[in-house]
């Protein structure tokens, strides 16, 4: 009778076939169950938001998303101002932060010496760990007074009196022009501009960290080939590094956009909580997330509560749409269609 081979370091013991199959099936079932939890959470969230939003959608229909008036006293609810505020703050902050983030990533990965790259990279990542309330307090007590002083100087300048009078007449009618949109409407320092500024600082580390890691993954052969052809450092970056890393950088941009769309506490502290349609970049405004934070606890009427939850439903749908669009774009930009 042949005895089984004795296990050695170069020939480990094998499990019996039946036990191996059972282990594979058990592991497969466990992975499937854990993956199903994500789908279950998504479906339950969508179902609950849709159920709670139904009274408002049944009452106002799709006009809820285009109506400008939000008045809990009269029972009129329209989300146009909040949707516009969300898009303006998020996209403007993204446009300001992406060049800074990519520039800082290039500096850390390509230009900075090793003794400096480490601390600078850690400092950028540290910005992502700061709580939202700290950003909000910093904006209120440090940045807002600086903006307020500048706005006061604008108001007292005799050359601006005629322009201010014209813009104030338009604002009273809830109208504006491109010139008046950039004219200060108050001297408090708070408002849409401060919310954009604070969002820019908050989302910058997300794009910067991802972009830095992706740039470092560019093969060294690709850089050396460009240098061998006599290319300058800028030509290497623009023609070899950034085209190779663009899909990863875009992924970081979308991650930052998702953070900007859903940011609540810091924005709610500085934006001013006005549900009127935007007439000035420096005036008070609101986003969908800030209205949810400010009014959800005080919404006693069924219609008011349902309208606030409908804002959350719209924000949920907008986030899903952004992520889907980002995946499609990244797939197109990735070489060979690798997902």
């Amino acid at each position: 009778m042949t005895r089984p081979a004795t296990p050695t370091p170069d020939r480990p013991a094998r499990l019996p076939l039946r036990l191996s199959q059972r282990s594979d099936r058990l592991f497969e079932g466990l992975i499937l169950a854990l993956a199903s939890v994500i789908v279950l959470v998504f479906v339950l969230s969508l179902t609950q938001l849709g159920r709670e939003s139904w009274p408002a959608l049944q009452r106002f229909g799709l006009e809820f998303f285009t109506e400008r008036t939000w008045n809990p006293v009269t029972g009129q609810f329209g989300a146009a101002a909040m949707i516009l505020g969300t898009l303006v703050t998020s996209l403007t902050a993204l446009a300001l932060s992406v060049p800074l983030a990519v520039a800082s990533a290039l500096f850390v990965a390509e230009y900075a010496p090793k003794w400096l790259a480490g601390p600078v990279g850690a400092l950028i990542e540290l910005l992502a760990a700061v709580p939202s309330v700290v950003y909000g307090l910093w904006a209120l007590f440090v940045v807002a007074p600086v903006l307020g002083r500048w706005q006061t100087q604008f108001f007292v300048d005799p050359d601006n009196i005629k322009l201010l009078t014209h813009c104030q007449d338009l604002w009273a009618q809830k109208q504006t022009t491109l010139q008046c949109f950039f004219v200060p409407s108050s001297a408090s320092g708070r408002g849409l501009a401060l919310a954009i500024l604070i969002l820019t600082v908050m989302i910058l580390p997300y794009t910067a960290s991802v972009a830095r890691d992706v740039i470092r993954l560019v093969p060294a052969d690709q850089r050396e080939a460009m240098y061998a052809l006599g290319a300058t450092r800028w030509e290497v970056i623009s023609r070899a590094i950034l085209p190779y890393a663009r899909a990863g950088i875009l992924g970081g941009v979308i991650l930052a956009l998702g953070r900007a769309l859903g940011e609540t506490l810091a924005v709610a502290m500085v934006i001013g909580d006005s549900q009127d349609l935007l007439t000035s970049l420096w005036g008070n405004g609101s986003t969908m997330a800030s209205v949810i934070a400010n009014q959800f606890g005080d919404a006693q009427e069924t219609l008011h509560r349902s309208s606030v939850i409908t804002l959350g439903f719209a924000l949920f749908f907008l986030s899903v749409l952004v992520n889907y669009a980002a995946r499609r774009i990244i797939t197109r930009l990735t070489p060979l269609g690798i997902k």
Side-chain angles (χ1 to χ4, degrees):
M1 181 176 181
T2 305
R3 295 182 179 180
T6 304
T8 61
D10 58 340
R11 188 176 57 190
R14 294 183 179 180
L15 293 175
L17 182 59
R18 292 183 179 180
L19 182 59
S20 177
Q21 291 177 346
R22 290 176 182 177
S23 300
D24 287 343
R25 292 175 181 175
L26 180 61
F27 182 73
E28 182 180 356
L30 179 62
I31 294 298
L32 180 61
L34 293 176
S36 301
V37 171
I38 300 176
V39 179
L40 181 62
V41 169
F42 178 85
V43 173
L44 290 178
S45 300
L46 188 64
T47 303
Q48 186 65 23
L49 286 173
R51 181 185 304 162
E52 297 292 336
S53 302
W54 179 244
L57 294 175
Q58 188 178 28
R59 170 73 178 275
F60 303 108
L62 294 179
E63 292 183 358
F64 176 85
F65 303 102
T66 59
E67 177 61 36
R68 301 180 179 183
T69 304
W70 182 278
N71 192 338
V73 177
T74 60
Q76 295 179 328
F77 298 99
M82 282 72 79
I83 295 175
L84 181 61
T86 301
L87 294 177
V88 169
T89 53
S90 300
L91 296 179
T92 306
L94 193 70
L96 294 175
S97 66
V98 168
L100 297 174
V102 174
S104 62
L106 286 173
F107 173 77
V108 172
E110 297 295 324
Y111 288 92
K114 292 183 178 180
W115 63 268
L116 183 60
V120 172
L123 183 62
I124 293 174
E125 293 178 351
L126 182 62
L127 292 175
V130 177
S132 299
V133 65
V134 176
Y135 278 114
L137 293 174
W138 173 72
L140 283 177
F141 294 108
V142 178
V143 183
V146 176
L147 293 179
R149 286 193 294 269
W150 174 81
Q151 291 169 342
T152 302
Q153 293 177 357
F154 184 88
F155 286 137
V156 299
D157 190 344
D159 297 334
N160 298 326
I161 294 178
K162 185 177 180 180
L163 176 61
L164 281 171
T165 303
H166 171 68
C167 292
Q168 286 172 353
D169 292 338
L170 289 177
W171 294 335
Q173 302 172 15
K174 296 185 178 181
Q175 298 177 0
T176 189
T177 61
L178 182 60
Q179 184 181 21
C180 290
F181 185 74
F182 293 97
V183 172
S185 58
S186 67
S188 65
R190 298 175 60 186
L192 195 69
L194 184 57
I196 292 172
L197 180 61
I198 201 66
L199 275 179
T200 301
V201 177
M202 294 180 68
I203 67 178
L204 188 148
Y206 293 92
T207 305
S209 298
V210 174
R212 180 199 60 192
D213 294 338
V214 171
I215 289 172
R216 285 178 172 174
L217 291 176
V218 176
D221 295 343
Q222 197 161 325
R223 293 182 173 88
E224 294 171 359
M226 289 290 294
Y227 283 125
L229 294 174
T232 63
R233 176 171 289 187
W234 163 245
E235 289 173 334
V236 172
I237 291 174
S238 60
R239 298 183 182 181
I241 295 177
L242 291 181
Y244 187 92
R246 60 182 180 180
I249 294 175
L250 182 60
V253 170
I254 298 304
L255 180 64
L257 178 59
R259 171 68 190 274
L261 288 172
E263 178 53 41
T264 304
L265 185 56
V267 174
M269 293 173 67
V270 303
I271 201 169
D273 194 28
S274 172
Q275 282 77 53
D276 293 331
L277 201 64
L278 298 175
T279 55
S280 173
L281 180 65
W282 305 93
N284 295 332
S286 61
T287 64
M288 290 186 283
S290 68
V291 171
I292 294 172
N294 289 327
Q295 297 192 16
F296 182 78
D298 299 328
Q300 302 297 329
E301 299 292 334
T302 302
L303 187 60
H304 186 191
R305 182 183 179 88
S306 178
S307 299
V308 173
I309 295 177
T310 305
L311 289 178
F313 184 74
L315 187 59
F316 181 85
F317 177 77
L318 183 61
S319 300
V320 172
L321 184 63
V322 167
N323 281 275
Y324 174 76
R327 184 169 181 81
R328 297 289 297 178
I329 294 173
I330 292 174
T331 302
R332 289 178 177 270
L333 293 180
T334 303
L336 303 178
I338 299 174
K339 298 182 182 180

